[in-house]
Amino acid sequence: ILASDHLENTAVWAVFGPAVGWSFIGTGLYAQRRRPESRAGTLMVALGFAWFFNAIATSDLPALYTLGLITGGLWGGVFLHLVITFPSGRLKPGWDRRLVIAGYLIFTLANVPTALVTSGADVGCPECPDNLLLIERDETLADAAFALQAVLYATLFLIVLVRLALRWRRTPFLERLQLTPVYASGLLTFLLVTVAVSGGGDSAIWPAFAATSLLPFAFLGGLLRSHVARLDAELRASRLRLVEAGDTERRRLERNLH
């Protein structure tokens, strides 16, 4: 990152970029130890490593730079996978599976049509290495490709928003406590990334970066709240069993006395 000739604010990215990735990895490993029955910790670790694929696009080598245009969005697919399956981390068939697959495809491949008809100079980066995917620069096709990318991101965001809102409404109160910080921070990050992809520029990229840096702690907090909610449910069930056992014993004594 520090050696990149086309990346702005290299010192900032060199410090805070790895910090975000290692935050996901560290909190994910901790979550694995505290909640081994959940796969959310494993997904958090995978998200941390996927985040580092962003650095490939900072290379000054054309081949690596071009590869980074695709792999740089992989973390977004893992991020959506984590949000959709939280807190179990297990992907259910049906809409959830379709949304996650769509997320992996959109976050990694949605910018390929743009790359086929634009160079670095066309996207505000004249110092960027050669884009090996470029076939021919075409301003009209570039505008259409940017619009398609924005529509894909926005459509996916709206579907995920509706899906999570319906799930949140159907969950009991204690489970909402664990889902609320995860869904709120996750959807905020997704929205900011969508705005940035749609042409928001640095005014959206930096808030999206800041929101992403807070995500691992939101996920960890949600997992810990899930553990507390499960203990509370077990305590309530134990109390119910004790009450039922007491009632059974009382009725037996009454029958014996009569």
Side-chain angles (χ1 to χ4, degrees):
I1 293 177
L2 288 174
S4 176
D5 293 332
H6 62 276
L7 179 67
E8 296 182 357
N9 303 311
T10 53
V12 175
W13 284 108
V15 174
F16 292 101
V20 172
W22 286 113
S23 294
F24 275 108
I25 294 171
T27 53
L29 292 174
Y30 179 76
Q32 283 180 326
R33 187 166 64 88
R34 291 295 301 270
R35 294 289 308 279
E37 75 282 1
S38 172
R39 295 179 182 174
T42 302
L43 286 173
M44 291 171 68
V45 174
L47 177 52
F49 283 110
W51 172 264
F52 290 121
F53 280 92
N54 277 313
I56 297 178
T58 67
S59 173
D60 293 323
L61 298 177
L64 290 179
Y65 169 75
T66 304
L67 178 63
L69 294 178
I70 300 175
T71 61
L74 179 61
W75 74 272
V78 184
F79 155 72
L80 182 60
H81 190 166
L82 177 58
V83 173
I84 290 291
T85 61
F86 189 87
S88 69
R90 289 173 169 80
L91 188 60
K92 298 179 181 179
W95 269 104
D96 286 353
R97 186 180 299 276
R98 296 188 192 102
L99 284 174
V100 169
I101 292 174
Y104 279 110
L105 293 175
I106 290 174
F107 280 109
T108 55
L109 301 178
N111 64 336
V112 171
T114 305
L116 296 177
V117 292
T118 61
S119 65
D122 298 320
V123 294
C125 184
E127 300 86 5
C128 283
D130 292 336
N131 167 21
L132 300 183
L133 293 177
L134 175 62
I135 298 176
E136 182 180 358
R137 296 173 62 183
D138 189 305
E139 185 176 351
T140 301
L141 291 178
D143 291 340
F146 279 122
L148 172 63
Q149 186 177 7
V151 168
L152 289 174
Y153 271 80
T155 302
L156 181 62
F157 171 78
L158 291 175
I159 296 175
V160 171
L161 175 62
V162 172
R163 182 71 174 171
L164 296 184
L166 292 175
R167 180 181 298 171
W168 186 87
R169 290 185 61 183
R170 290 195 299 263
T171 57
F173 175 74
L174 285 177
E175 292 185 24
R176 288 183 183 182
L177 293 178
Q178 58 175 304
L179 294 178
T180 299
V182 173
Y183 284 3
S185 59
L187 288 171
L188 175 61
T189 302
F190 195 171
L191 175 62
L192 291 172
V193 170
T194 300
V195 173
V197 170
S198 302
D202 290 345
S203 60
I205 290 176
W206 288 111
F209 180 80
T212 304
S213 66
L214 299 176
L215 280 176
F217 306 102
F219 284 120
L220 181 61
L223 283 174
L224 295 179
R225 288 188 179 189
S226 172
H227 182 66
V228 172
R230 182 167 58 85
L231 292 178
D232 181 78
E234 292 176 356
L235 180 60
R236 289 174 182 269
S238 298
R239 288 177 178 175
L240 181 60
R241 287 193 295 268
L242 288 174
V243 170
E244 291 176 347
D247 289 342
T248 301
E249 184 64 20
R250 178 177 56 79
R251 288 192 292 269
R252 187 183 67 80
L253 290 174
E254 289 176 350
R255 287 195 302 269
N256 291 340
L257 291 174
H258 291 293

